[in-house]
Amino acid sequence: MIIVNSETLNTLDSYSKNKYKYGFVTDIDSEKPRKGLNEKIIKYISSKKNEPSWLLEWRLSSFRKWKKMKEPDWANLNFPKIDYQDIYYYSAPKGFKDKPKDLSEVDPKLIETYNKLGIPLEEQKVLAGVAVDVVFDSVSVATTYKGELEKLGIIFCSIGEAIQKHPNLIKKYLGSVIPPGDHSFSALNSAVFTDGSFVYIPKNVKCPMELSTYFRINSENTGQFERTLIIADKGSYVSYLEGCTAPKRDDNQLHAANVELIALEDAEIKYSTVQNWYPGDEEGKGGIYNFVTKRGLCAGKNSKISWTQVETGSAITWKYPSCILKGDNSIGEFYSVAITNNYQQADTGTKMTHIGKNTKSKIISKGISLGKSQNTYRGEVTFLRKSDKARNYTQCDSLLVGNQCGAHTVPYIDSKNNTAVIEHEASTSKINEDQLYYCRQRGLSHEEAVSLIVNGFCKQVLQELPMEFAVEAQKLVSISLEGSVG
Amino acid sequence: MFLEIKDLSVKIENKNILKSLNLNINKGEVHAIMGPNGSGKSTLANVLAGKEDYEILNGKIIFKDNDLFDLNIEERAQEGMFLAFQYPVEIPGVNITPFLHSAINSKRKRMNQDEIDNLSFAKLLKSKASDLGINIDMLKRSVNTGFSGGEKKRYEILQMSILNPDLAILDETDSGLDIDALKIVTDGVNKLKTKDNSFLIITHYQKLLDYIKPDYVHVMVNGSIVKSGGSEIAAEIEKDGFQKFQ
Ligand SMILES: Nc1ncnc2c1ncn2[C@@H]1O[C@H](COP(=O)(O)OP(=O)(O)O)[C@@H](O)[C@H]1O
Ligand SMILES: [Mg+2]
């Protein structure tokens, strides 16, 4: 059950009236080792986090892999070469040697930052029924509602804490869905990941509240490499939300997260993202480079993983939340809205790999391009030899607003089993003048009309979001369209 | 003058459609415009509503003391002009209730009135819908999406009742309707009519005018009004068609 706290919604409301309201910087001292990527910094991170030696070894071997790898270059994206030596790999608000025990130990400036973002950390004010873990630069700041979850045996904490307290789960599952050597960004993340969230839902437990992580990049020239690991044991259920913002800066900042989900027999994971990293300014200056790997494994029979994303931020988005449908009868879903404006570029989509019998996947992608932006849907649906009677349904719709932007659809299908059923629908349309005229004749402004029509176009996806996120997402959609129409 | 159209000439894609058209409407009056297909009736309605595809060659329109050409589409709507479209467009995914709620509030904002809240609006919408015999289930659907022709027209009338315009233009709202639907539409108009608002009803059948009594009937042929008078003209057209006006 979700209860929306009206105060939080009001805060969200007041912070979403203007274009990029999250662009402020918190003036807080941070502890940073030198820029640059090398074994020394990896050892530094590992020792800061007091990690066991096997994990340091894991990081170092990932780093060695990374050194031999090239960035994937098949995406429809154009950006200058990333200088990995010009990035800080660790940044923590000073005095964060240990995670604060309770909120009275948290720097008031941080609490204020999150209040500004509409994420009040004081427990009684947190969205009722939503437990929040907050990551500020590299460090996890607060995990609320911990006690209540613990009673059910649910583990919800930062990955750093999980490494200390639940080493067996970490050892078993970390890198089990996204091996470090998968591609250069996964190797990079495995080498230098700093924080992120960890969730374990025990057998037959339905998590009674939404679990949520809020990511914030504050420091300049800092990369954010969070790592999230969610395990849903047999017969369990969890819905997890992720949100993110960053200050406005002229430089591009790198974000390369890895998210791994594991659903065992009869388990279900619902993962929702509202991605609102700083997109850069109207001239295309600044903004986050968002190279994210998200992959879920439907390991057991009848398991289900569902990804929902609303991508409105970042200068560059490179992101393909995927499902490996290993268990028989397992289900993978991907619902996506990607809006690009000004000079933003998004290359996003999904991979559905059907391994088990009767596996089903569903892909609904809505791309909206405005300004001079480029928006690509890229999807790959694979049916392996034993995936008898597997099915996929794909629907990709693109909407163009203006005539200097681009929309592209790149669906790959690879079937090694001839009982597979594949349905694919795609459409590209321009925003319809008759619809705009109709809305305006009823008294809506041009901008309101565009926002309404685009929200309508995205509805199939937005309605998949948990309620209080849907409200935020709708506003985000409207904000992302501002200034670009007319 | 409430609405004054003076010497209006309008062109689209190198074709002259309206030619020196004159029409005056006072507060509280119901006017009907009849004319054969292609005579320019919808063009007139769209020019009044402010659709941007047309080239105004000549003429002037005054609406409630405003020069109409100074106002854009939404400003005209907020000033109280409503057009019930001949072909209402589908807007998938946009639910009727919030759509109309935003519409009414943008009008109230211009009139310096307080916004109407969710709950009061929902009540208003429900009561208007049941007045018009419109199924409440229809209010859960997306604007015009998957509606039959008759449902679309009824829904235009519902919107009209909610927005309570000063000038309502009905563009062939009667065409394609069976008698029951026609009753709903005409009831809607008759219920809304006061001495302070006006109607411009475009039709090419006389049948509609059996239910809504116009004060004036105008015959439009080839882009101009060729004859104006009382409801006796409608009877003439019913009998002899438009031939003798051409
Ligand atoms: N967008 C347009 N482009 C070109 N010609 C048009 C357009 N709209 C209307 N017309 C022409 O203008 C004339 C009048 O059309 P219209 O106003 O729709 O007539 P009515 O509503 O009386 O049937 C017709 O000849 C029609 O073909
Ligand atoms: Mg017409």
Side-chain angles (χ1 to χ4, degrees), chain B residues 12-13 15 17 36-44 54 86 172:
Chain B
I12 187 165
E13 289 178 6
K15 199 169 156 198
I17 310 287
N37 268 333
S39 57
K41 303 182 297 294
S42 292
T43 303
L44 175 62
Y54 302 96
Q86 184 172 5
E172 300 212 22

Side-chain angles (χ1 to χ4, degrees), chain A residues 5 31 37 79 109 114-115 156 190 193 206 220 256 281 307 339 348 378 411 456:
Chain A
N5 174 318
E31 178 186 341
L37 182 54
F79 56 96
K109 274 185 189 161
Y114 281 99
N115 281 336
F156 177 39
S190 304
F193 75 88
K206 313 271 180 238
E220 203 161 355
D281 67 11
W307 299 99
I339 302 181
T348 186
R378 186 181 302 277

Side-chain angles (χ1 to χ4, degrees), chain B residues 210-221:
Chain B
D210 292 343
Y211 296 94
I212 302 172
K213 288 284 164 247
D215 301 301
Y216 299 92
V217 176
H218 310 276
V219 182
M220 183 157 166
V221 175

Side-chain angles (χ1 to χ4, degrees), chain A residues 432-446 448 452-453 455-457 459, chain B residues 46 49 51-52 74 77-78 81-83 85 89-90 93-94 99 102-103 106 144 156 159:
Chain A
N432 183 319
E433 290 298 326
D434 288 339
Q435 291 175 337
L436 285 174
Y437 175 42
Y438 189 91
C439 295
R440 294 176 70 193
Q441 206 300 305
R442 300 306 185 237
L444 302 175
S445 70
H446 194 276
E448 281 176 299
L452 210 67
I453 293 165
N455 263 303
F457 174 78
K459 188 169 184 188
Chain B
N46 284 324
K51 194 175 187 200
E52 283 146 350
E74 55 269 33
Q78 292 159 8
M81 185 177 297
F82 181 89
L83 170 58
F85 287 93
V89 62
E90 305 197 351
V94 176
F99 171 76
S102 309
S106 45
N144 296 323
E156 293 290 285
Q159 293 184 63

Side-chain angles (χ1 to χ4, degrees), chain A residues 402-463:
Chain A
N403 45 23
Q404 287 177 290
C405 48
H408 317 273
T409 303
V410 191
Y412 302 96
I413 293 167
D414 178 13
S415 180
K416 296 193 168 60
N417 182 311
N418 58 16
T419 63
V421 179
I422 305 158
E423 277 178 90
H424 183 94
E425 289 176 36
S427 76
T428 300
S429 51
K430 292 209 103 183
I431 195 146
N432 183 319
E433 290 298 326
D434 288 339
Q435 291 175 337
L436 285 174
Y437 175 42
Y438 189 91
C439 295
R440 294 176 70 193
Q441 206 300 305
R442 300 306 185 237
L444 302 175
S445 70
H446 194 276
E447 233 166 54
E448 281 176 299
V450 170
S451 156
L452 210 67
I453 293 165
V454 171
N455 263 303
F457 174 78
C458 303
K459 188 169 184 188
Q460 243 181 320
V461 173
L462 297 181
Q463 71 191 9

Side-chain angles (χ1 to χ4, degrees), chain A residues 4-163:
Chain A
V4 185
N5 174 318
S6 63
E7 190 176 344
T8 308
L9 284 182
N10 288 338
T11 322
L12 287 174
D13 191 25
S14 59
Y15 284 97
S16 47
K17 285 270 151 60
N18 212 325
K19 274 189 198 157
Y20 196 77
K21 275 280 193 180
Y22 311 102
F24 60 87
V25 179
T26 305
D27 182 17
I28 198 161
D29 273 347
S30 57
E31 178 186 341
K32 280 185 201 168
R34 287 226 199 117
K35 279 181 186 173
L37 182 54
N38 47 55
E39 299 210 351
K40 225 171 114 193
I41 179 75
I42 293 168
K43 286 176 184 156
Y44 176 89
I45 293 170
S46 192
S47 85
K48 271 279 157 197
K49 299 195 159 285
N50 198 21
E51 288 174 354
S53 58
W54 72 263
L55 191 52
L56 175 61
E57 266 320 304
W58 193 76
R59 287 178 179 273
L60 289 171
S61 96
S62 303
F63 174 60
R64 281 171 218 129
K65 284 182 184 127
W66 177 78
K67 280 201 289 190
K68 291 193 216 119
M69 295 172 113
K70 281 203 182 115
E71 284 166 19
D73 60 357
W74 36 259
N76 184 20
L77 299 170
N78 248 311
F79 56 96
K81 226 178 143 37
I82 299 167
D83 182 355
Y84 290 95
Q85 301 308 330
D86 195 33
I87 294 172
Y88 291 106
Y89 287 86
Y90 185 83
S91 166
K94 265 218 176 107
F96 256 65
K97 195 152 173 289
D98 294 306
K99 187 173 166 166
K101 305 250 170 342
D102 63 62
L103 287 163
S104 64
E105 289 180 29
V106 175
D107 187 328
K109 274 185 189 161
L110 266 185
I111 296 190
E112 200 199 334
T113 300
Y114 281 99
N115 281 336
K116 271 199 204 175
L117 292 168
I119 321 273
L121 293 186
E122 293 143 81
E123 199 145 340
Q124 69 275 18
K125 283 194 191 156
V126 169
L127 280 176
V130 182
V132 185
D133 186 27
V134 172
V135 178
F136 190 85
D137 286 341
S138 307
V139 178
S140 177
V141 182
T143 307
T144 58
Y145 277 112
K146 213 165 185 166
E148 240 171 276
L149 296 171
E150 266 167 12
K151 276 182 226 152
L152 294 164
I154 293 171
I155 306 169
F156 177 39
C157 62
S158 71
I159 195 120
E161 193 180 332
I163 289 164

